[in-house]
Each structure stands twice: as structure tokens, then as C-alpha cells.
């Protein structure tokens, strides 16, 4: 990071949207509004939506735009305190005990203070997020919270209430300045209402065709204009099909990038069949689209774009 203090927070909804856009994130008016309010009110922002719609990217872009560290807690089943919050450097502690015994040290209290000291404390993401100095509070991304269990969710509720962590052997560590908290979930399970009440909420949906085309133009600048239009229109129609997993914006960008690398300037059935693996991630979906349904969608896309001029 470039300075001792972070850049000032945006002072309006328009400024928030412009801040994100300056780093190529095109936010809807509603997302810019709730993000502005979360920053203004110092409340966590809870982003829910399908995978690949840009929830995680909000935190990444915000950290860059505000010149703040990004601390990411990637959630998964079985995530516990030692992985998420802190743990002690046990080998180093044992070595210090042996060295102390070898030197003849007998003061038990002094030895405990030395063993359970800062130099042996391993700070995991939660503790890192609340340990930053004032003026450099990070963006704390709690990604895919729905993958954890309810016990960890309950612990997190306590952390978000007071922004402090108590370590029995060490003491309580409080945030000098609360981090900017972004929580994401793909809604594989419902998160408890008690945690949601601590946050401002926003559902992140798929962008419309115009917005997605602008995203592709920014993220894949070498993509042919006609190809970009066809790719976006094709993906928009795919999302209307009953697939196991709809392609997200990230997959649209990947597909447009792959087709550009292959020097394609337009879609055709053979190219679609050969590159569907960059867009769809389940074989049943791929098999379905490689059949007659994919060809039908392509015909509709070309006819609609031709009619639109």
C-alpha cells in the first residue's frame, strides 16, 4: 500500500459507483447505494447471490480503490478457530521451554508470559482484520459463509458485534478501527437471522445484456465487437435454460477471452461445442447444449442481433 492512511471513503452513491467503475467494476445503482450506506454506517455488507455474479469482486475492487489491505477468510466445512482466528506456534513454544529449562530458569509465571507472548501468536484472518492500526483498517472478506457450520457462524456473530477477540492465555484484542466487512454467500444453506441483522443486505443478480456487454468490453478489450455481442446474447439465453449451474459473469469473461485467443470473430456450432468447457462446468449441461438446443440458441441469437442491426 502506498501511504500510512487509506484513501477517504466515498461521500455519495454516485461517488461510490464511480470508485468501483474506476477499477472496472460496473455496479448497479442499488448495489452502489447499499455499499455507500455500509461504509457510512460502518456496518458489514452481506452479499447473497449465485456463484460467479461478482460478489467476491466487490471486496477486491473496494480494497484496491480505497488503498486498503484485503484480508480474505475463505470459508469451508469444518473451519475452526485455529484456522480462522489464531493459534499458538507450538514448536517454538516447546523450544523456548527447553531453552529456559537448560538455562536454569525456574520462575513459572515469567516462563508462561514468555511462552504466551506476541512472538508466538499466529494471527489468522479474523485476528489480522481487527489488528490493523487506525487509518489502515482493512477490507475483511468473509467468503462463502454458507459453507461453514452454525457453530462458527455463532462465533462470527460475536466478533462482528464487538470487533474483538479474547485469547485466554493472552488477553483481549480490540480493533482500533473496525474493518470494512464484506460477507458473501451462494445460498447453499440459510444463514441465521441473527447474523443477517448485524449487516446490510443485498442480492447480487446476473447483469442485463447491456451491462454484461460493457463488462466484457472492459475485461476483454481485444474481443471483436460482434463476437462480444454474440457471446453475451448466447450466455443470457443460456441462463433461461434449466441448467444444473448457470454460467456467471466470470464464465462469460473466460469464454470471451478463450474465443479471442482462438482468433474467432463470430460464434459457430463447432466453436461453441469445442469451447463449452470454459463456460459450463457440468457434463450434463455441456451434453445438453452441444446437442440441438445449443444450435437453436445460436440461431435465435443471430436472428435477434441481425434484427437489431
Amino acid at each position: 500500500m502506498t501511504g500510512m492512511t487509506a484513501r477517504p471513503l466515498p461521500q455519495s452513491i454516485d461517488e461510490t459507483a464511480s470508485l468501483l467503475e474506476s477499477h472496472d467494476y460496473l455496479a448497479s445503482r442499488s448495489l452502489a447505494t447499499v455499499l455507500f450506506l455500509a461504509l457510512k454506517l460502518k456496518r458489514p455488507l452481506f452479499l447473497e447471490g449465485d456463484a460467479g455474479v461478482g460478489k467476491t469482486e466487490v471486496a477486491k475492487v473496494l480494497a484496491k480503490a480505497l488503498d486498503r489491505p484485503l484480508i480474505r477468510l475463505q470459508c469451508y466445512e469444518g473451519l475452526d478457530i485455529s484456522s480462522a482466528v489464531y493459534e499458538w506456534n507450538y514448536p517454538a513454544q516447546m523450544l523456548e521451554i527447553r531453552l529456559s529449562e537448560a538455562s536454569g530458569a525456574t520462575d513459572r509465571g515469567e516462563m508462561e508470559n514468555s511462552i504466551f507472548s506476541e512472538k508466538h501468536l499466529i494471527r489468522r484472518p479474523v485476528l489480522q482484520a481487527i489488528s490493523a492500526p487506525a487509518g489502515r483498517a482493512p477490507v475483511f472478506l468473509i467468503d462463502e459463509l454458507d459453507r461453514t457450520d452454525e457453530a462458527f457462524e455463532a462465533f462470527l456473530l460475536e466478533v462482528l458485534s464487538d470487533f474483538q477477540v479474547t485469547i485466554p492465555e493472552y488477553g483481549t484484542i480490540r480493533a482500533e478501527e473496525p474493518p470494512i466487512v464484506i460477507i458473501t454467500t451462494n445460498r447453499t444453506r440459510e444463514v441465521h437471522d441473527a447474523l443477517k441483522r448485524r449487516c446490510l443486505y443485498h442480492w447480487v443478480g446476473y447483469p442485463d445484456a447491456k451491462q454484461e456487454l460493457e463488462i466484457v468490453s472492459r475485461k476483454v478489450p481485444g474481443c471483436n465487437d460482434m463476437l462480444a455481442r454474440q457471446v453475451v446474447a448466447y450466455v443470457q439465453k443460456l441462463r433461461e435454460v434449466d441448467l444444473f449451474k448457470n454460467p456467471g459473469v466470470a464464465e462469460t469473461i473466460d469464454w470471451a477471452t478463450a474465443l479471442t485467443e482462438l482468433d474467432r470473430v463470430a460464434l459457430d456450432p463447432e466453436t461453441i461445442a469445442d469451447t463449452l468447457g470454459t463456460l459450463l462446468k457440468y457434463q450434463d449441461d455441456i451434453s445438453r447444449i452441444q446437442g440441438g438446443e445449443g444450435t437453436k440458441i445460436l440461431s435465435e441469437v443471430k436472428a435477434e442481433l441481425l434484427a437489431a442491426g
Side-chain angles (χ1 to χ4, degrees):
M1 297 299 166
T2 56
M4 292 301 293
T5 58
R7 292 175 184 146
L9 298 179
Q11 297 301 305
S12 67
I13 297 170
D14 289 338
E15 192 177 329
T16 303
S18 297
L19 187 72
L20 296 177
E21 187 175 354
S22 68
H23 287 74
D24 291 331
Y25 190 97
L26 302 180
S28 65
R29 181 73 178 182
S30 57
L31 175 56
T33 300
V34 74
L35 179 56
F36 166 70
L37 290 173
L39 295 172
K40 192 76 171 177
L41 301 176
K42 300 186 184 301
R43 296 276 296 278
L45 177 57
F46 191 99
L47 298 177
E48 197 164 46
D50 294 324
V53 293
K55 304 183 299 297
T56 299
E57 196 67 16
V58 172
K60 292 180 178 179
V61 168
L62 191 63
K64 289 180 182 178
L66 295 178
D67 192 28
R68 292 172 183 257
L70 173 67
I71 297 175
R72 179 174 183 170
L73 175 61
Q74 182 60 55
C75 298
Y76 55 87
E77 187 177 352
L79 180 65
D80 58 13
I81 302 299
S82 63
S83 300
V85 189
Y86 77 95
E87 65 178 327
W88 292 106
N89 188 338
Y90 181 71
Q93 287 176 316
M94 291 302 298
L95 178 60
E96 181 155 339
I97 290 172
R98 288 170 182 166
L99 290 174
S100 297
E101 290 174 344
S103 67
T106 58
D107 189 324
R108 185 178 180 86
E110 185 177 327
M111 188 180 295
E112 286 185 356
N113 289 336
S114 178
I115 293 169
F116 295 110
S117 62
E118 176 69 29
K119 63 182 177 180
H120 296 313
L121 182 62
I122 301 175
R123 296 172 184 258
R124 299 304 186 194
V126 172
L127 197 54
Q128 291 172 15
I130 66 172
S131 299
R136 296 297 297 156
V139 174
F140 183 29
L141 169 62
I142 303 172
D143 210 14
E144 298 184 320
L145 178 62
D146 50 322
R147 293 182 180 273
T148 63
D149 55 31
E150 292 185 1
F152 183 79
E153 190 181 312
F155 166 79
L156 194 61
L157 179 63
E158 183 180 355
V159 172
L160 294 180
S161 296
D162 303 317
F163 290 105
Q164 67 179 38
V165 170
T166 298
I167 302 172
E169 309 88 347
Y170 185 80
T172 299
I173 299 175
R174 296 179 178 85
E176 292 184 30
E177 179 185 336
I180 296 169
V181 181
I182 306 290
I183 302 172
T184 75
T185 169
N186 296 332
R187 209 176 186 181
T188 58
R189 72 169 178 85
E190 286 295 331
V191 173
H192 200 280
D193 287 345
L195 192 141
K196 284 187 174 183
R197 286 198 300 269
R198 297 289 192 281
C199 310
L200 299 187
Y201 175 88
H202 185 74
W203 173 268
V204 183
Y206 294 110
D208 60 26
K210 181 180 179 181
Q211 188 178 26
E212 192 161 20
L213 181 59
E214 178 64 22
I215 292 170
V216 170
S217 299
R218 286 172 178 257
K219 296 293 187 180
V220 195
C223 186
N224 175 274
D225 182 62
M226 177 51 71
L227 176 63
R229 292 178 183 278
Q230 290 183 351
V231 163
V232 169
Y234 196 93
V235 172
Q236 291 274 326
K237 284 191 174 293
L238 272 185
R239 293 184 186 132
E240 298 173 4
V241 178
D242 185 22
L243 298 175
F244 182 77
K245 171 64 178 69
N246 285 333
V249 179
E251 284 74 37
T252 306
I253 294 169
D254 285 346
W255 197 32
T257 302
L259 293 170
T260 300
E261 290 295 324
L262 293 173
D263 296 323
R264 299 295 191 268
V265 294
L267 291 178
D268 60 75
E270 184 179 359
T271 296
I272 292 173
D274 291 343
T275 59
L276 266 181
T278 62
L279 186 64
L280 302 176
K281 308 302 179 181
Y282 290 90
Q283 181 56 36
D284 288 349
D285 289 344
I286 292 174
S287 297
R288 179 175 179 178
I289 300 304
Q290 280 178 334
E293 192 154 4
T295 303
K296 177 185 175 185
I297 291 173
L298 179 59
S299 298
E300 292 175 356
V301 164
K302 290 188 173 182
E304 290 175 8
L305 290 177
L306 183 64

